[in-house]
Amino acid sequence: MSDEKAKRTDIGTLGEFGLIDHLAKNNVQYNASTLKSIGDDAAVIDNNGLLTVVTTDAMVEGIHFDLIYTPLKHLGYKAVVSNLSDIYAMNAIPKHITVSLAISNRFSVEALEEFYSGIYAACKAYGVDLIGGDTCSSNKGMFISITAIGQGEKEKLCYRNTAKVGDLICVTGNLGASFVGLQLLERERQIYLSNPGVQPDLEEQKYVIGRQLKPEARRDMIEAFAKNNLVPTSMIDISDGLASELFHICKQSNVGAIVEESGVPIHPETELLAIKFKLDPITCALSGGEDYELLFTIDPKDLDKVKYLPDIYIMGEIVERKEGVKLHTKGGNIHDIKAQGWLHF
Ligand code: ADP
Ligand code: MG
């Protein structure tokens, strides 16, 4: 053995996306049926012409959720929905999920029943079947890992690396509400911890809290695309914030983007609360995350197909890579959009 100390690199130096790229660089595909591997919302497997779309996500207590303000039923629902959103982001239809859990003895059977009532409610709402999973013990807290499996058609699947210069940048729904809802819940948590007698009054902020605790995936949009014969040129779901997701599309498609601030949809309740918390609403929309809306690009010739669809906002254009990823503010200035992503480490 050599006396030389083994090299130790702190994972914080790479960040989440850098770490995935680093670990994935030695990944070898042994099967021609692997049409899409690491790098998109979901992987795509060719089963003799039928395409299977697979995604998996983990949630850790204390990092992704706090049980002080997250009802277990909502947690189960959200854990499923966040996975289904990745399947829809491929323009595919989720059909099956597996659920794996690590739990400490702090959780009772009744608490887990409550969690599963949320899982079953999501299965019913989105027409997916729970087909298996795994259960084991954890020393502390709860760990959830869900895999979603879906079906897609080769000509309709949407990737992150296929946006083209001149395409229009569109988004479903509105952005930033979930992040603002989280700020509100975190604030209530602090108040509760310092004074457990005080009951929160969140009645007036129902919308943003709903967006944080019980998000929905945009199945309706995927169905509307199919009905209108629209196939986006690229697509991603917004789990880490608009800025981060736009960066993924631009980097992988080797293009730039210009987004109009006036085109970024923000709900009035989000705007009001952001200002109350001394946050800039557009920053919440760009960097918030957990919106589970779809960010997609379309060929301008398809403009008529989206113009009359409800809940779709056209907010910018794909440009040459050298032009960067920019925000054109309401005041007429141009800023670089910075991808933050979540730095969990
Ligand atoms: P999303 O936010 O859409 O769920 P992620 O940013 O979590 O996507 O993941 C991006 C890509 O990296 C996906 O293809 C995912 O499967 C892959 N990935 C993430 N973590 C790992 C890992 N530890 N090993 C292999 N692939 C991973
Ligand atoms: Mg995704």
Side-chain angles (χ1 to χ4, degrees), residues 162 202 261 316 325 329:
T162 40
L202 302 172
E261 182 185 2
V325 182
T329 68

Side-chain angles (χ1 to χ4, degrees), residues 77 81 84 88 119-128 214 216 219:
Y77 194 89
V81 161
L84 303 185
Y88 291 123
I119 289 182
Y120 289 130
C123 286
K124 187 171 180 200
Y126 290 90
V128 300
K214 191 176 175 288
E216 300 290 353
R219 172 197 196 173

Side-chain angles (χ1 to χ4, degrees), residues 40-42 55 57 82 85-86 89 160 236-239 245:
D40 218 302
D41 291 303
T55 181
D57 259 315
S82 62
S85 179
D86 277 320
R160 298 176 178 183
I236 187 168
D237 74 323
I238 304 184
S239 49
E245 316 302 1

Side-chain angles (χ1 to χ4, degrees), residues 249-306:
I249 286 190
C250 288
K251 188 174 168 212
Q252 293 201 22
S253 301
N254 201 24
V255 294
I258 178 98
V259 170
E260 294 294 331
E261 182 185 2
S262 57
V264 178
I266 300 177
H267 192 276
E269 197 177 301
T270 308
E271 187 139 17
L272 273 176
L273 266 174
I275 292 166
K276 195 168 153 188
F277 289 147
K278 303 201 164 30
L279 297 166
D280 190 359
I282 186 72
T283 307
C284 297
L286 284 168
S287 305
E290 294 198 295
D291 300 299
Y292 300 111
E293 296 295 344
L294 297 170
L295 172 68
F296 60 100
T297 55
I298 59 161
D299 190 298
K301 76 170 165 34
D302 286 332
L303 181 58
D304 276 349
K305 294 183 185 170
V306 300

Side-chain angles (χ1 to χ4, degrees), residues 161-168 232-234 249 253 255-256 297-300 317-320:
N161 63 357
T162 40
K164 284 183 292 299
V165 173
D167 285 351
L168 301 172
T233 52
S234 71
I249 286 190
S253 301
V255 294
T297 55
I298 59 161
D299 190 298
E317 197 183 321
I318 295 292
V319 294
E320 299 279 352

